[in-house]
């Protein structure tokens, strides 16, 4: 047993001094509860209580970052102040735009409160918006911990490095993958099972744009897979369910997968249909 304990001791001694997932998950949960009381353990109805909670969370983030300088190589306290200074415009306001898009885009939604409390898509987008801000401020690892926490809860895997525009709508969620270098425009709506992924998985391509660009006003239906850093889905396009794309399509296109029942007496096979108004 001694050799095994020695190996364990070595692993513990070499473990980077980064915060545990539980600490980060709790921090994200409290930030979400601050912005949306529907997720709070305690509703804070007076301004003094809100100010105290705001200051507490800012101090909490500052302490996390000060203890883990290797994750940002900067001033942890200053980063925490900047994060909370930007929280309103870059996270809170954008999440309310996402909320509007989800409410307008889902006939089944009876209220915005229902979306905030119940919709996994809103939870996943919230985690992404918080994580993306930290990512933009140069904080490493912690943003990924936040989005992976949301991934485990919702089945939606959004890399914090992805660039996602305003009024973003995820309907039904589950099984969605949005890669690190993906660019998503404004007023984009995606359904369950959509993958915005990479064609290349080579390590030497890590710093290249590997994931697609989705322009404004695009709808991507369930099960569609769009791959490649040079792939652009033009503005106003509709990508049908189960479509597999590795090439760009022009603006205002509609592409869908059409199946034919296989008959031994016929040579008909499945095929894609592309219609473009451009």
């Amino acid at each position: 047993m001694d050799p095994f304990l020695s190996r364990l001791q070595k692993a513990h001694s070499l473990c980077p001094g980064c915060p545990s997932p539980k600490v980060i998950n709790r921090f994200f949960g409290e930030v979400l509860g601050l912005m949306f009381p529907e997720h709070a353990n305690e509703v804070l109805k007076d301004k003094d209580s809100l100010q105290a909670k705001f200051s507490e969370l800012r101090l909490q983030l500052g302490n996390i970052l000060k203890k883990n300088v290797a994750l940002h190589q900067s001033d942890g306290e200053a980063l925490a102040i900047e994060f909370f200074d930007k929280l309103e415009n870059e996270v809170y306001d954008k999440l309310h735009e996402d909320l509007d898009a989800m409410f307008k885009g889902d006939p089944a939604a009876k209220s915005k409160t229902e979306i905030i409390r119940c919709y996994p898509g809103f939870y996943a987008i919230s985690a992404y918006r918080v994580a993306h801000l930290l990512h933009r401020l140069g904080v490493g690892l912690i943003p990924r911990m936040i989005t992976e926490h949301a991934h485990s809860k919702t089945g939606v895997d959004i890399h914090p490095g992805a660039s996602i525009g305003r009024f973003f709508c995820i309907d039904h969620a589950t099984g969605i993958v949005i890669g690190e270098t993906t660019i998503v425009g404004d007023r984009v709506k995606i359904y369950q099972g959509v993958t915005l992924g990479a064609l290349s998985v080579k390590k030497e391509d890590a710093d290249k744009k590997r994931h697609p660009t989705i322009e404004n006003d695009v709808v991507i239906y369930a099960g569609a897979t769009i791959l490649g850093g040079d792939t652009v889905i033009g503005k106003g396009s509709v990508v049908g369910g189960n479509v597999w794309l590795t090439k760009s399509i022009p603006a205002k296109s509609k592409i869908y997968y059409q199946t034919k029942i296989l008959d031994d007496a016929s040579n008909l096979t499945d095929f894609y249909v592309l219609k473009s108004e451009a």
Side-chain angles (χ1 to χ4, degrees):
M1 192 65 180
D2 284 347
F4 181 44
L5 288 176
S6 295
R7 292 174 67 188
L8 292 177
Q9 189 272 331
K10 182 179 180 181
H12 279 254
S13 64
L14 294 176
C15 180
C18 59
S20 74
K22 288 183 180 179
V23 169
I24 299 306
N25 297 346
R26 184 168 60 247
F27 169 75
F28 166 68
E30 291 190 6
V31 170
L32 185 60
L34 178 68
M35 295 188 293
F36 296 95
E38 293 87 349
H39 283 277
N41 293 326
E42 179 185 3
V43 177
L44 306 173
K45 294 190 176 182
D46 64 272
K47 193 171 182 178
D48 289 342
S49 298
L50 282 167
Q51 179 62 60
K53 189 65 177 179
F54 193 91
S55 299
E56 175 193 330
L57 290 174
R58 186 169 57 193
L59 179 63
Q60 189 180 131
L61 178 60
N63 288 335
I64 290 171
L65 295 176
K66 282 191 287 186
K67 290 178 182 177
N68 298 278
V69 179
L71 299 181
H72 54 83
Q73 300 295 331
S74 186
D75 183 328
E77 187 175 352
L79 280 175
I81 291 171
E82 187 174 2
F83 172 83
F84 279 94
D85 283 347
K86 294 179 181 294
L87 188 65
E88 179 181 5
N89 294 329
E90 297 202 21
V91 178
Y92 185 70
D93 288 346
K94 287 182 178 179
L95 282 174
H96 274 280
E97 291 176 342
D98 301 330
L99 183 59
D100 287 342
M102 296 180 78
F103 183 67
K104 292 174 183 176
D106 184 4
K110 301 299 185 288
S111 68
K112 291 181 180 179
T113 295
E114 179 183 359
I115 293 171
I116 295 168
R117 290 185 185 273
C118 306
Y119 279 38
F122 182 76
Y123 189 92
I125 295 170
S126 299
Y128 159 77
R129 297 282 186 206
V130 170
H132 183 67
L133 176 53
L134 287 168
H135 175 82
R136 283 208 319 101
L137 293 176
V139 178
L141 190 59
I142 291 173
R144 193 66 186 272
M145 294 166 75
I146 292 172
T147 55
E148 284 305 318
H149 167 66
H151 182 194
S152 69
K153 286 178 66 71
T154 66
V156 178
D157 181 4
I158 308 177
H159 195 287
S163 177
I164 298 177
R166 300 167 57 190
F167 299 97
F168 184 49
C169 177
I170 292 178
D171 201 353
H172 300 300
T174 309
I176 288 169
V177 177
I178 301 177
E180 178 182 16
T181 62
T182 305
I183 298 174
V184 177
D186 298 334
R187 299 173 300 279
V188 170
K189 183 177 184 180
I190 64 176
Y191 287 80
Q192 69 274 18
V194 167
T195 296
L196 305 179
L199 271 173
S200 172
V201 293
K202 296 178 181 178
K203 198 68 176 178
E204 55 266 32
D205 292 337
D207 295 329
K208 297 180 181 178
K209 188 179 186 308
R210 308 180 307 282
H211 305 90
T213 296
I214 313 299
E215 295 186 342
N216 296 345
D217 305 300
V218 169
V219 178
I220 306 173
Y221 282 98
T225 297
I226 303 171
L227 306 178
D230 295 327
T231 303
V232 178
I233 305 304
K235 180 180 179 181
S237 293
V238 176
V239 179
N242 297 320
V243 165
W244 179 284
L245 275 177
T246 58
K247 294 182 179 180
S248 299
I249 60 173
K252 297 184 179 179
S253 295
K254 292 182 180 179
I255 183 166
Y256 57 92
Y257 176 63
Q258 184 166 324
T259 59
K260 294 291 184 180
I261 297 174
L262 184 62
D263 184 342
D264 288 340
S266 170
N267 291 324
L268 286 175
T269 58
D270 301 346
F271 63 95
Y272 292 100
V273 177
L274 172 62
K275 297 180 178 180
S276 177
E277 298 175 13

